[in-house]
Amino acid sequence: MSKLVLLLGVVLIACTEHAAHNAEGECFESPPPEGTVRAKRIACAEELPEGAEAEIGDWLLENHLVRMTVRDATHRLTQLEGTGGTILDIALQGGIDAVTEMYPVFDTQWPDSATISAVEEGIRVESSDGSGHMWTYRLSPNQGLLQVDGATGFTLVPAHGAYKTGDLIQSAHDFPLTVGALGGITDDGGWVHWNNTNQLALGSIDDIAGALYTNVTRATGLTDGSALQVQSETFEYAFWIEDGAFDIQVPVGCKIRALRSGYEPSVWTDPNENMNLSLGNEGFINATITNESGDPISATLNWNGRQFHLQPETVRVPVGPGEGSGWIDAGPKYEHTVIE
């Protein structure tokens, strides 16, 4: 074995005051006005979000905040059984599709065939296989809140790069879509399930708390952290911030702290409009990993039960403060190097 050298140093049929009226076949390039919902068959490419899986002939459901599409009654995208009627695309208005597929979960099986239509503030899926199963995707006129009566939960297949943060899923786009619900979340490694709910919140991170909770407050202030963590007795999430300033809606009764890799979090604090969240102590390992010839190589640092992947260059590894122990692993060609 060679020796490893270590140097430490997301046809309108009925119309109400909240529903936008859409003529059959008409194309709408712009979002509907605030306080209205547009539900119709997709008539042109301009009605599709960027990166959409849906096509002309599928169904559109949107308000001024979010745009989503429902697959026509053909077949599902990621499931081998059942007809269409699933949600194919969800995006912030003007943003990029941030899901691969999403669908509600019911106590009954998904129908083998169905008819789909636009109704008041929603898209209706009605089985035609004799099962009598019917549901409607209803979108709030003023919030990114989707409701499906009779659903017992939702399953989401996120787009590539999305990540879970507490009870939420957030896309990796410049203007990320956030999806979440109350009731508990299960991550099956690429498939995410929310249980015991018929409501799902969709939108920006600032809209989520107001969609899910009746009582919200604002948290405003400054921090030397790069992310904030929000936690209540039944709901938790975190989100990135830039330039140290934040102004966010959060649930009443929650606590907030600042996070940054390599630092102790700030103390948990009640939200208010004049917050100063300061991080605690820092802890880093400066490492250069080379082979016997002195050439930098990739490796993995195992430190206090955590893994850090090191590029073939001098790196500053944010292990956090305090005592610890671990080892360097550069693959089967090299011996482990233990850090005392």
Side-chain angles (χ1 to χ4, degrees):
M1 263 187 188
S2 300
K3 184 178 179 181
L4 185 67
V5 180
L6 171 66
L7 301 178
L8 288 181
V10 198
V11 176
L12 189 67
I13 292 177
C15 178
T16 71
E17 61 180 357
H18 296 300
H21 178 75
N22 304 298
E24 174 72 26
E26 188 174 353
C27 175
F28 292 85
E29 299 185 19
S30 301
E34 184 173 352
T36 64
V37 172
R38 180 176 291 149
K40 66 183 295 288
R41 195 158 204 161
I42 298 170
C44 60
E46 288 76 12
E47 293 177 333
L48 296 170
E50 183 180 345
E53 281 89 24
E55 301 173 344
I56 295 173
D58 288 327
W59 299 84
L60 174 68
L61 181 61
E62 64 176 341
N63 60 16
H64 69 290
L65 296 171
V66 295
R67 174 176 293 184
M68 67 184 71
T69 67
V70 176
R71 194 177 189 95
D72 197 34
T74 52
H75 59 276
R76 299 163 81 177
L77 185 62
T78 63
Q79 301 296 290
L80 299 179
E81 298 179 355
T83 187
T86 60
I87 294 175
L88 288 182
D89 309 298
I90 307 175
L92 297 177
Q93 286 291 3
I96 301 172
D97 171 38
V99 306
T100 298
E101 188 172 31
M102 188 182 75
Y103 52 88
V105 178
F106 303 99
D107 290 333
T108 57
Q109 290 185 342
W110 199 270
D112 292 327
S113 61
T115 58
I116 301 179
S117 58
V119 296
E120 178 183 342
E121 296 176 0
I123 299 295
R124 177 170 295 166
V125 182
E126 188 170 2
S127 68
S128 56
D129 60 359
S131 64
H133 193 189
M134 180 182 69
W135 69 92
T136 302
Y137 296 106
R138 295 196 184 279
L139 183 62
S140 168
N142 299 301
Q143 296 174 317
L145 186 65
L146 180 70
Q147 180 167 318
V148 181
D149 290 340
T152 60
F154 294 88
T155 292
L156 171 66
V157 185
H160 178 72
Y163 59 93
K164 175 180 174 293
T165 167
D167 295 289
L168 303 179
I169 296 295
Q170 193 161 50
S171 73
H173 301 124
D174 290 339
F175 301 99
L177 173 76
T178 305
V179 183
L182 304 178
I185 188 172
T186 303
D187 183 1
D188 285 343
W191 299 73
V192 180
H193 314 279
W194 287 275
N195 309 307
N196 308 311
T197 184
N198 67 351
Q199 293 184 330
L200 202 63
L202 320 161
S204 70
I205 191 67
D206 191 48
D207 301 326
I208 292 300
L212 291 175
Y213 287 89
T214 302
N215 296 319
V216 295
T217 187
R218 296 210 73 85
T220 305
L222 298 172
T223 180
D224 53 352
S226 58
L228 293 185
Q229 184 179 9
V230 180
Q231 187 177 71
S232 67
E233 292 183 357
T234 58
F235 194 66
E236 178 183 356
Y237 60 98
F239 56 94
W240 299 105
I241 58 174
E242 295 182 0
D243 302 325
F246 58 92
D247 184 356
I248 189 79
Q249 274 191 343
V250 296
V252 169
C254 73
K255 300 282 187 180
I256 303 176
R257 68 178 181 179
L259 307 174
R260 192 182 190 96
S261 294
Y263 294 81
E264 290 179 333
S266 67
V267 299
W268 286 108
T269 306
D270 294 326
N272 61 69
E273 295 188 358
N274 189 26
M275 304 185 75
N276 190 352
L277 302 179
S278 297
L279 298 168
N281 294 326
E282 66 179 56
F284 293 85
I285 289 178
N286 294 322
T288 301
I289 313 301
T290 66
N291 59 20
E292 291 177 306
S293 300
D295 300 320
I297 59 174
S298 300
T300 299
L301 168 64
N302 295 269
W303 183 260
N304 285 351
R306 296 176 62 194
Q307 285 193 347
F308 301 87
H309 298 287
L310 313 183
Q311 298 300 315
E313 56 191 16
T314 298
V315 291
R316 191 167 185 249
V317 190
V319 297
E323 293 183 356
S325 62
W327 67 90
I328 297 291
D329 179 12
K333 183 177 179 181
Y334 301 96
E335 297 179 357
H336 285 190
T337 296
V338 176
I339 305 173
E340 299 292 348

